[in-house]
Each structure stands twice: as C-alpha cells, then as structure tokens.
C-alpha cells in the first residue's frame, strides 16, 4: 500500500467531524460502547479491556464553525473547550457513552463539570493523576484512582474488566507504542521520507480507529515510506514544543515544513508516547500501569518536575538525541500550562545555547503567512549562523 | 466633580485596626527574618496550612497577598509589565507576573523593606493548576527547596477515602519531615491540635458574621467587605489568638449593627438603604477595588453572599478544623476549598445562597487571570437563572492588571443590571 493511499485515509478520518468511522464501529454491534478522552493521557488499555473503543476528542480544528461553543466561554479562554462543546451540543458526540477529562489544566478540569451538567446521561470522569512519584504515596493514590476508573468503565461496559482482559490490552498497546516509537525514529533518520504532516495524520487516525487497525496502518506506512524515494531538502531540524493539548491546524505543521524546518520531535498526542517502555504483561496490570506512569512517562507542562535542576532537561535531551538544531515553541493562545512553562524551558535552551523561537496559535488559525515568515527566518538563521 | 476629589475619611472600627496591626506585624516578621533568624515559608491561600506552619515557628509569606497589596497600591501594573518583558506571556495569570515582577524590582514588601528569599516553598496545589507552575517559576528564581502537597480535585463532587488518605500521607511523609528539617523544630501534634482548636473558634465567629447577611438589611457586604473579614482566616493568622480575638471583635461589631438596624459599613460610612441583594461569583478586581465597590453601594446594592470568600476554605456548610483529627482535618480543609469543588457543586452552593440569603440577583465578576474560577462561569450563570428565575449579569475584569479594568463599561453594565432587577420586581408585583 502506498503512503499516499494511507495518508488519504488518515486525512479523510481527520476531516470527518462527524466521526463516521466511530459511528460505524459502534453500529456494527449493539453492545459496543465508546469512551472519549481529552488530552493529554488516559490509560486506554482499561477502556479497550472492557471491549470499548477509546476515542480521542481533540477539539474541532479549523473546519468547524463554532456557534454555540463561544457562548460558553469568555474571549480569554482557549479554543479547544469551546469547539468540544460545539461538537457536543450539535450531536456530533452522541456516540460517546463516557468521556474522560485528564488532569491537565483548570479549563479542561472545569469542562468535566460542565459536561456533567450538560450531558447528565454520559459517564463523565475527571481523571486525576499523581504529581507525587513515590510508589507508596502517589503510587498508591493512583492505583486506587485506576481501580475507580476501572469500576466506572465496568458500569458503562456492562461487564467486568478482568486482570487478564487488561493484560491482553496492554500487549496490543505495547505494540502500538513500539510502532509509534519506530515511526518517530524513522522520521529522525529520514525526515524527508516521513513529513510531519503525515506523521501527524497517522497519529490522529489512531485517535479514532481500533488500536489493532491502527497498528496495521503504522506497519504499512513504515514499509511504504521506507521504500519510497523522496527528495531530501536542505532543511534545518527542529523540535516543536507546546502543542500537547489544543491542536495546531494541519496547515501550521505544513507551513513550518515548507518554511524550511524538519520537525524531528514534537509533543502531538502524547497519549501515544506517554509511556516510554513496554508495560510488563505479568503481575498486577493496574500496578504495572501505575508504575509506568510514575517512573517511565514523559515530561510535559501538565506534570510537576520535583527537581528544579532537571527542569527542561528532557527538551535539551530531545534536541541532542534527535540531532535537532533548534526549538520552536508553538503553544495555543491562553494555554496556561504551556505558556507558564515556556520561560523555564526557554531558559534551559539559552543555557545550552540552543536557538529557539516562540509563537502562539489557535486551532482555527487561518493566516499562516506570519508563521511561515517566522519559521523561515529561524531556519535561515540556523543555516547561516549556527555553530554546527 | 469636586466632591470626588475630596479625600474620604475611612471609618475604622476596632476589628479593622486589629487586622491592620496583624498584617503589619506579619510583614515586620517577614522582612525582619534575616535579623531574627526566623525561617520563612511561602505558600498559597487555598490549602494554606497555617496551623502546621506555626508548629515549626516559621513565618508565612503568601504571594497572592503580596500581589493584592501591590494591586491595591497601584504598583502591580509595572510589575506585570516587567515580567512580560522577561518573557512571561500576556495570556497568563497576573498574580504570577506581579510576583515575578515584584522580585525583579527588589521584592519590596508593603512596609518598604525587602522580603527575604523563602527558606521553603510549600506548594499547596489546591484548586488551581497555575499554582504548580507558579512555584516551579519561583523555585527557578529563588533556588530554594520546594515541597509539594497535591490536593486531588473533587471531580465527582465528593471527597473519597483515597483522596483524603493521599493528602494525609503526603503530610506525614513529605511535608512534615521537610518542615522539621528546614526549621530544625520537631513536630508536636499537640501543638497542632491547639492551633486547630483556635482555628475552629475563629471559624465559628466567621460563619456567624457571613450568615448575618441573611438579615434585612444585611449588616455586612459579603464580597467587598467580605474580603476584609476573611483576611485573617485565609492568611497567616488562622490558628492564632489574634485571629480568635479579631473574629470576636468583628462579631460584636456586627451584632451592634444588627441591633441598630444598620446596613454594611463602606469606605464612605454606612451604606444607606438596601435596594438590591446580590450573590457574587468570582474574585474582585484589586486595582480599582474602591471604584468597583462604590458602583454597588452608590446604588444601594449589597452583596449578601459570595463565592470568593470561600476560596481559602468553605466553613458555612459545617466544616471546622478538628483538633481530634488533626491531619485528616487539614486534608478535608484543603479538599473542600471552593475552587477545588466541581462545577455542579459550585452551582448548588450558589443556588443555596440565592435562596438562603433571599437574593434579588446573581452577578459574576469574571477574572481574565483565573481560569480556575472563570472557565465555566457562563454555564453557571445559565444554571442559576434557570433554577432561581432571578436575573443574572456578567462583568469582566482582572485581579491585579489595571489594563483589564474598564470602569465605564462595568458601571454601564451594572446600572443596566439594576434596572433589570427593578423591571423584574415590577413585573412580579403586577402579576
């Protein structure tokens, strides 16, 4: 299968604001249930173990006309909650039997309560995670939270979710994470063969497809991309940082690439790469999920870094490990976590002599010319004046 | 015009003088710490563990209070702009930027003396995501030790055993040992019990004062006046004899106002006749606090209940600090703070206030800086209108950024709102 064919399929899924693929999946069996989740991380394994489909709800992008959603928010609040409400009140999320709101910021947190008020028949859970990474303290708390989540999902599924169910799902998601690690590694090696706009669409497809189907799609894409001959450009290599919640318009990613930057690492849809390593298949699966979160998960603005000396280290390492030449901080307007974190990360970049630029976007930003100019100038400056 | 320029002689009651002296004394302790050797801890108002801090003889510094002080003294604008020049986004919380800008400008306390760097940052992560980033930023500036107390959010509208146990465990195994190490003082749980006993006594009187607004006329303004009433209990004084004495004095003053049939005291004396009884959601604006308040009392509008006065602890539904269950009680206090409650709980609380305090309307002052409060407020407004049938209104401002306080705009909206309440009354009378 060609990359074009695969990406066309991903693009169609991305463009479909009615989630037809999810509706079709659900319609195939009257007992099927769908659990939506918002950024940045939920343990999809438990949803999958209950025979349900986890679906990423990532806002409405730049193609959704937000009419109702704006009536729920002041002008100084980001776009993703208002387009999510738009999706809800226009019936586009009627297929959702439950919706999880991870602990990421006050806006998403409060949206969980709004959903309870507006959609009382939907299972709604604010999914809290520990900011304390001690097994006996934050770990115990998180294990119990996971058990509560499991219990709530059992009610939705109408059946028990056993440890063996979870182990089987962990195996499937381990495979998904491995393939996505492979995809990212491939892009690092040959970014001209895996443009970030394609990588992004592949990740988005994973937000709505059953994981088994997504795994096959990733296998097919990697094989096709490897064998495809594409022209290598004289681009600089950058890490894109700050886009972990409200999504950038696809055109923004394309614009950065067209401006002369290969994106070699990013924080898109971190749920795919939240856990670094495979989760063990033996032992207590809930304890394993908790341990993976505590000791083997990514750093992002929504997580507390207990050691001030390590603040920003992950981004410095990403630049080094991926042979990047600079960082583009691209955060949504009014995104508290990303924008509050940025000065500390920028300081770490300065300390390590890593060039960076910053800009803001909204999911419905339409004007890309300033982004192209800024990214193009950044790329030129790296090419012309970088020490490397 | 000339009348506006005449300096207003502010009426000072004994409780006001008492509070002023308490605040001055705390700033004296803070700025004098380098000489006295007292250790300083910085922490936040919601989830403020003052009783515990006192067990280690440490002095409590609250960055939000510094920002408020700077806002009311018209100093926050320059501080915020300083922080923005340093790279902090115009989109984020102005308390944070006022704090960072204050540091950049020498960290001068309201008494004119420099505040020392804290020995410890107690990150009480309660009801506000920004707190976590704020203390990471402060740690980056000060380079001092930080201890985190994560308080889980009441996503399902209740406190579970898991949540309570998590907080207690953090207190036992991380917060208290850190305090012991930094202060050199061994933890004494009986000392904590005594502090909590004093807290509960003060809380009884505070609740009595807040609930006095059920009277007609209300003897207090529970928002603009309320921010002064909550001052000691939300900050560095809960658990002290001073706080007990402050609330005893305040209660006596309010009892006298009720006996005399008086309304609230304002910066310009007694308010006069009560025309509108309101419930208000959201923090006040601090940079134009007097102007904002005047828009209400000039129209005879009194706030009979507010949610902001619950941000540092919700006491009027029965919770008290409990010396018999000291750590569990601290956990329940943190878990129950207003912005740690989910939106359905907040709506229920406001609906209760509307009914219990016989309010004529509901007003939201939506704060640009504070997503913890603000995200969802337009839905809260709809819910309250639907459930009570009372008119609601919405104004926008900011905490300490004067660039976001539009006096004429807010005044126009409020005047229209009061007319709407009048029309609603006339309609009800005609029916």
């Amino acid at each position: 299968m060609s990359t074009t064919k695969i990406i066309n399929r991903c693009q169609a899924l991305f463009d479909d604001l009615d989630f037809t693929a999810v509706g079709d999946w659900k319609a195939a069996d009257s007992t099927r249930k769908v659990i939506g989740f918002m950024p940045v991380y939920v343990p999809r394994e438990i949803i999958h173990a209950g025979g349900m489909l986890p679906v990423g709800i990532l806002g409405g992008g730049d193609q959704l006309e937000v009419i109702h959603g704006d009536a729920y928010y002041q002008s100084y609040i980001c776009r993703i909650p208002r387009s999510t409400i738009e999706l809800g009140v226009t019936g586009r999320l009627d297929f959702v039997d439950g919706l999880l709101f991870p602990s990421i910021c006050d806006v998403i947190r409060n949206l969980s309560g709004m959903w309870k008020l507006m959609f009382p028949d939907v299972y709604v859970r604010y999914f809290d995670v520990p900011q304390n990474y001690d097994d006996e303290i934050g770990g115990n708390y998180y294990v119990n939270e996971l058990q509560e989540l499991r219990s709530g999902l059992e009610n939705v599924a109408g059946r028990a979710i056993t440890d063996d169910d979870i182990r089987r799902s962990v195996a499937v998601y381990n495979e998904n994470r491995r393939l996505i690690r492979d995809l990212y590694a491939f892009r690092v090696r040959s970014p001209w063969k895996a443009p970030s706009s394609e990588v992004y669409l592949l990740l988005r497809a994973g937000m709505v497809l059953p994981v088994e189907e997504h795994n096959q799609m990733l296998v097919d894409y990697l094989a096709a991309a490897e064998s495809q001959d594409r022209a290598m450009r004289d681009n600089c290599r950058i890490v894109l940082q700050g886009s972990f919640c409200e999504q950038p318009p696809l055109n923004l990613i394309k614009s950065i690439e067209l401006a002369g930057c290969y994106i070699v690492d990013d924080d898109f849809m971190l749920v795919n790469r939240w856990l670094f390593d495979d989760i063990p298949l033996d032992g207590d699966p809930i304890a394993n999920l908790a341990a993976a979160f505590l000791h083997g998960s990514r750093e992002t603005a929504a997580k507390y870094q207990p050691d001030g000396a390590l603040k920003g280290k992950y981004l410095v390492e990403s630049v080094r490990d991926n042979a990047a030449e600079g960082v583009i901080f691209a955060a949504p307007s009014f995104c508290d976590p990303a924008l509050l974190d940025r000065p500390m990360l920028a300081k770490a970049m300065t300390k390590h002599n890593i060039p960076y630029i910053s800009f803001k976007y909204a999911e419905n930003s339409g004007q890309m010319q300033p982004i192209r100019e800024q990214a193009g100038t950044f790329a030129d400056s790296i090419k012309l004046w970088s020490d490397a | 015009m000339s009348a506006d320029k005449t300096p207003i002689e502010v009426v000072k009651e004994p409780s006001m003088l008492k509070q002023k002296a308490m605040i001055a004394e705390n700033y004296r302790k803070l700025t004098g710490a380098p000489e006295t050797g007292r250790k300083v801890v910085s922490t936040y108002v919601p989830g403020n563990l003052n009783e515990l801090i006192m067990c280690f003889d440490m002095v409590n510094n609250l960055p939000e209070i510094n920002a408020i002080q700077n806002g009311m003294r018209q100093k926050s604008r320059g501080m915020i702009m300083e922080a923005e020049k340093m790279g902090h986004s115009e989109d984020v919380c102005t308390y944070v930027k006022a704090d960072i800008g204050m540091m950049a400008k020498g960290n001068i306390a309201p008494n004119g003396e420099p505040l020392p760097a804290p020995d410890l940052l107690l990150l009480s992560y309660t009801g506000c995501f920004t707190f976590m980033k704020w203390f990471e930023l402060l740690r980056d500036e000060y380079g001092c030790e930080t201890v985190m107390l994560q308080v889980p959010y009441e996503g399902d509208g209740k406190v579970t055993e898991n949540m309570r146990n998590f907080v207690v465990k953090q207190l036992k195994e991380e917060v208290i040992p850190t305090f012991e190490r930094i202060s050199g003082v061994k933890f004494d749980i009986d000392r904590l019990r005594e502090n909590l006993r004093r807290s509960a006594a003060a809380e009884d009187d505070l609740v009595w004062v807040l609930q006095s607004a059920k009277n007609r006329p209300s003897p207090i303004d529970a928002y603009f006046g309320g921010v002064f009433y909550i001052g000691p209990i939300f900050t560095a004084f809960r658990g002290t004899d001073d706080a007990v004495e402050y609330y005893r004095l305040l209660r006596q003053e309010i009892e006298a106002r009720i006996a005399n049939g008086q309304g609230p005291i304002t910066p310009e004396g007694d308010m006069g006749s009560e025309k509108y009884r309101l419930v208000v959601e959201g923090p006040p604006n601090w940079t134009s606090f007097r102007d904002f308040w005047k828009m209400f009392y000039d129209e005879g509008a009194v706030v009979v209940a507010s949610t902001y006065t619950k941000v540092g602890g919700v006491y009027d539904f029965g919770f008290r600090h409990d010396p018999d269950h000291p750590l569990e009680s601290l956990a329940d206090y943190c878990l129950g703070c207003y912005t740690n409650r989910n939106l359905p709980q907040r709506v229920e609380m406001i609906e209760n206030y509307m009914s219990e305090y016989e309010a004529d309307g509901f007003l939201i002052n939506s704060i640009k800086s504070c997503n913890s409060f603000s995200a969802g407020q337009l839905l809260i407004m709809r819910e309250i209108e639907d459930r009570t049938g009372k008119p609601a209104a919405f104004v926008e401002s900011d905490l300490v950024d004067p660039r976001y306080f539009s006096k004429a705009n807010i005044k126009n909206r409020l005047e229209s709102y009061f007319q709407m309440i009048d029309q609603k009354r006339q309609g009800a009378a005609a029916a």
Side-chain angles (χ1 to χ4, degrees), chain A residues 234-255:
Chain A
D234 184 26
N235 284 1
C236 70
R237 298 164 64 93
I238 61 99
V239 173
L240 192 74
Q241 207 279 340
S243 308
F244 48 84
C245 182
E246 180 176 318
Q247 298 298 291
L250 186 58
N251 274 339
L252 188 149
I253 299 168
K254 289 178 177 172
S255 294

Side-chain angles (χ1 to χ4, degrees), chain A residues 177-196:
Chain A
R177 282 186 284 268
R178 270 198 297 271
L179 287 165
I180 288 172
R181 284 198 296 272
D182 290 347
L183 175 66
Y184 270 68
F186 176 71
R187 184 179 66 171
V188 168
R189 288 195 306 274
S190 337
W192 60 94
K193 287 190 167 190
S196 288

Side-chain angles (χ1 to χ4, degrees), chain A residues 14 37-40 56-63 78-81 83-84 104 108 184 199-201 203-205 207 240 242-253 266-272 330-333 335 360-365 368:
Chain A
F14 173 77
F37 63 89
M38 294 201 70
V40 64
I57 306 297
L58 300 162
D62 58 358
Q63 295 302 308
C78 58
R79 296 295 308 174
I80 187 171
S83 62
T84 302
I104 179 167
I108 299 299
Y184 270 68
V199 170
Y200 179 81
L201 286 170
L203 298 181
R204 285 295 295 256
M207 296 296 101
L240 192 74
S243 308
F244 48 84
C245 182
E246 180 176 318
Q247 298 298 291
L250 186 58
N251 274 339
L252 188 149
I253 299 168
D266 58 60
D267 51 7
F268 302 144
M269 279 156 281
L270 287 179
V271 67
N272 289 313
S333 295
C335 176
K360 293 186 289 186
Y361 65 83
E363 64 178 9
N364 63 344
S365 293
M368 290 300 150

Side-chain angles (χ1 to χ4, degrees), chain B residues 63-83:
Chain B
E64 302 117 300
I65 302 302
N66 297 335
I68 291 170
Q69 294 276 352
N70 286 321
M72 294 182 103
R73 289 172 162 79
Q74 310 304 318
K75 290 181 174 174
S76 54
R77 178 198 292 260
M79 294 169 175
I80 291 164
M81 292 174 77
E82 185 70 25

Side-chain angles (χ1 to χ4, degrees), chain B residues 30 33 40 54 62 71 84 115 124 138-139 186 189 242 322 327 356 359 368 373 400-401 409 425-426:
Chain B
L30 281 168
V40 173
M54 287 161 57
L62 296 136
E84 289 176 355
L115 281 167
S124 53
L138 291 191
R139 181 182 61 191
K186 182 98 181 115
I189 199 160
D242 273 337
D322 179 1
L327 298 183
E356 289 287 311
K368 172 186 174 285
F373 261 104
V400 290
D401 191 341
N409 186 293
R425 279 180 180 153
Q426 286 161 10

